[in-house]
Amino acid sequence: MTVEVAVFGALMAAMLLLGFAAARWRRTQDIHTLEEWGVGGRAFGNWVTWFLLGGTMYTAYTFVAVPALTYGVGAVGFFAVPFAIVTTPLAFVFTARI
């Protein structure tokens, strides 16, 4: 039990430190612009954008829509899983310029 509490406490402390460091990392003059609030001042870069697009695609689509589709139409709904795997890299390629 003490090992679990120690691991949880260490991870919680690390996340808190990382969160406070991120809050002070890039101070901007005007935080109330839509560009700064919505897309991080367009300073995410390709690596972070890849994980944002992939996380959005796999969590929202695969874990919500695929089970509902499979329940509604049967095994044909499993076509959505390879569709998600193929479309995520394509979405990254075509939307990276945006």
Side-chain angles (χ1 to χ4, degrees):
M1 173 101 173
T2 57
V3 174
E4 292 90 357
V5 173
V7 169
F8 177 76
L11 290 174
M12 183 64 77
M15 288 298 111
L16 282 170
L17 289 173
L18 185 64
F20 283 120
R24 300 185 191 288
W25 174 48
R26 247 187 82 237
R27 293 272 174 161
T28 166
Q29 299 299 330
D30 188 16
I31 197 164
H32 299 293
T33 64
L34 183 61
E35 179 180 337
E36 183 64 38
W37 181 83
V39 293
R42 299 187 186 269
F44 281 146
N46 289 338
W47 189 249
V48 175
T49 304
W50 169 263
F51 284 105
L52 288 174
L53 284 172
T56 302
M57 180 70 173
Y58 286 123
T59 56
Y61 181 72
T62 306
F63 295 128
V64 175
V66 171
L69 179 67
T70 306
Y71 179 77
V73 298
V76 177
F78 281 116
F79 172 76
V81 175
F83 175 77
I85 293 169
V86 169
T87 56
T88 300
L90 289 175
F92 174 70
V93 168
F94 291 122
T95 60
R97 303 285 287 183
I98 294 175

